[in-house]
Amino acid sequence: MHVPLVDLRAAQAEILDEIRADVDDVLSSAGFVGGPHVAGFEEEYAQLCGTQHCVGVANGTDAVEIALRAVGVGPGDEVVLPANTFVATAEAVARIGARSVLVDVDPDHLLIDPAQLGAVTTERTRAIAPVHLYGQLAPMGAVLEHADRLGLPVVEDAAQSQGATQDGRVSGSLGRMAATSFYPGKNLGAAGDAGAVTTDDDDLARTARLLGAHGSLTKYVHEVVGFNSRLDAIQAVVLRAKLRRLQRWNACRREAAERYASLLDGLPVTLPAVAPGNEHVWHLYVIQVDERDRVLSALHEAGVGAGIHYPEPVHLTRAFADLGYGRGDFPVTEAAADRILSLPIYPHITPAQQEHVAQSLADALGA
């Protein structure tokens, strides 16, 4: 049996007939950029998040950059973010000409540790960017409390948490702004690259839209220097169809996570934990094991498409050597990077597939 890490074909097959007419409409009208499908998706995604505004953009990295620029981050400023994140969070900061200031994560959930914020926020800090990782929200209460005390905006990196909640509030609605990615493998995935920014602030939403449209809301009237980052209409068609299924698909992911917890009980692995107040949407199912690379190889030989998110922390990559960090600076993140292992999870995974994953893992561990 082959079990992929994520099955994009199954999700696409579920919506294919439904989207044909709308895709044909986009193609026949040649309304490829903007238009009613983009506007409709922006309204519907804002409703999901419980925000006043959603601005569609080209991808998740642009979304982070646009949100940070909108709240006032500029060249020479500092943005605080967790060491355990995908490199795109730090890339967005670097593209502005600002500097990423990293903090370690808590060992139980691998999310930003708010207790460390006080030691790194300075007069140069312009924003805090917590990352909602693997499908659950960062500890936003403590992050917001620290940020509010210093008058700093919080920009959520919500790329892995569409539909997740914390104490009843939806990912993308807790900070001044939030950025998300609709890369195909996300819980809400497009048929290519896409992203969005969400906020309750009218002025920030306007600024975000300006930045992603060459600084122009009226043709050839350019108010600021922007760039080209717009959600295209065909991606909006796909996203609208998948958004109608997101809550059900997230529920399927939760059922799969519960099944894994039962199947893996008793194995010498560390299972993922859900933080208090969080409703997890299980974008990834990340366990921790000893001899991770050997175990990963054995799973691949057994037809299990396991992965690693992420094998090299941001501060140890060559791209961010200029930040000046070294091995040992973020011990929790570094220890996790050697042990984390993502097991296949997606809405259409079957119990038989999960049983194969669990048995293959047990065999790899000699259990």
Side-chain angles (χ1 to χ4, degrees):
M1 179 184 291
H2 173 66
V3 186
L5 180 62
V6 59
D7 188 349
L8 300 182
R9 290 185 180 89
Q12 202 65 23
E14 189 174 327
I15 68 166
L16 194 56
D17 290 339
E18 182 178 319
I19 66 174
R20 287 186 191 277
D22 286 337
V23 170
D24 287 345
D25 175 63
V26 171
L27 295 175
S28 62
S29 68
F32 301 121
V33 178
H37 294 293
V38 172
F41 172 72
E42 289 178 336
E43 180 179 353
E44 290 155 11
Y45 192 71
Q47 289 175 353
L48 172 78
C49 295
T51 58
Q52 293 297 311
H53 303 281
C54 167
V55 178
V57 300
N59 56 72
T61 311
D62 284 0
V64 177
E65 179 179 352
I66 287 170
L68 290 172
R69 286 183 182 274
V71 300
V73 176
D77 291 337
E78 294 181 349
V79 179
V80 179
L81 57 135
N84 186 36
T85 184
F86 182 52
V87 71
T89 317
E91 275 181 334
V93 176
R95 291 190 337 191
I96 296 171
R99 181 179 186 273
S100 293
V101 175
L102 305 181
V103 295
D104 214 346
V105 294
D106 79 274
D108 296 321
H109 312 100
L110 303 182
L111 299 166
I112 191 169
D113 182 357
Q116 301 188 29
L117 294 175
V120 298
T121 46
T122 70
E123 69 278 2
R124 293 183 299 277
T125 307
R126 291 293 176 269
I128 301 174
V131 178
H132 306 327
L133 203 61
Y134 307 147
Q136 68 173 329
L137 274 69
M140 291 299 293
V143 171
L144 289 167
E145 181 181 353
H146 178 81
D148 290 346
R149 190 163 58 246
L150 298 177
L152 294 171
V154 171
V155 172
E156 304 168 64
D157 182 336
Q160 296 189 10
S161 59
Q162 292 101 355
T165 65
Q166 185 170 94
D167 298 324
R169 296 187 64 184
V170 183
S171 170
S173 70
L174 287 85
R176 286 283 304 283
M177 298 193 85
T180 196
S181 166
F182 303 125
Y183 183 76
K186 305 299 186 187
N187 288 41
L188 181 60
D193 273 317
V197 172
T198 54
T199 183
D200 280 328
D201 189 300
D202 295 348
D203 292 335
L204 292 178
R206 185 180 188 279
T207 299
R209 203 170 290 281
L210 270 174
L211 289 170
H214 299 292
S216 172
L217 297 182
T218 303
K219 194 170 184 178
Y220 301 133
V221 178
H222 303 277
E223 302 177 38
V224 298
V225 176
F227 49 97
N228 180 17
S229 183
R230 293 172 289 200
L231 176 64
D232 73 66
I234 288 180
Q235 299 305 337
V237 167
V238 173
L239 289 168
R240 294 182 84 179
K242 290 187 175 181
L243 182 57
R244 290 190 282 272
R245 294 162 169 80
L246 180 63
Q247 301 288 30
R248 174 168 58 83
W249 283 355
N250 282 345
C252 290
R253 288 174 179 270
R254 283 191 287 272
E255 290 175 7
E258 291 176 3
R259 189 176 298 117
Y260 269 140
S262 176
L263 289 169
L264 304 180
D265 185 40
L267 293 183
V269 302
T270 301
L271 298 180
V274 180
N278 277 353
E279 182 177 57
H280 209 306
V281 294
W282 300 101
H283 171 61
L284 298 168
Y285 192 88
V286 180
I287 65 172
Q288 296 188 48
V289 297
D290 294 330
E291 299 183 84
R292 190 270 316 284
D293 292 344
R294 181 192 63 78
V295 172
L296 178 64
S297 178
L299 289 176
H300 287 171
E301 289 178 7
V304 174
I308 309 171
H309 299 84
Y310 301 98
E312 187 174 53
V314 170
H315 69 288
L316 298 182
T317 64
R318 184 187 308 174
F320 289 98
D322 64 319
L323 294 180
Y325 298 114
R327 185 168 294 278
D329 285 338
F330 305 105
V332 177
T333 295
E334 292 169 22
D338 292 336
R339 302 186 73 243
I340 51 176
L341 180 66
S342 300
L343 299 182
I345 194 165
Y346 40 90
H348 302 84
I349 196 169
T350 66
Q353 287 176 314
Q354 289 190 267
E355 288 165 8
H356 178 68
V357 172
Q359 185 59 59
S360 299
L361 180 59
D363 291 344
L365 295 169

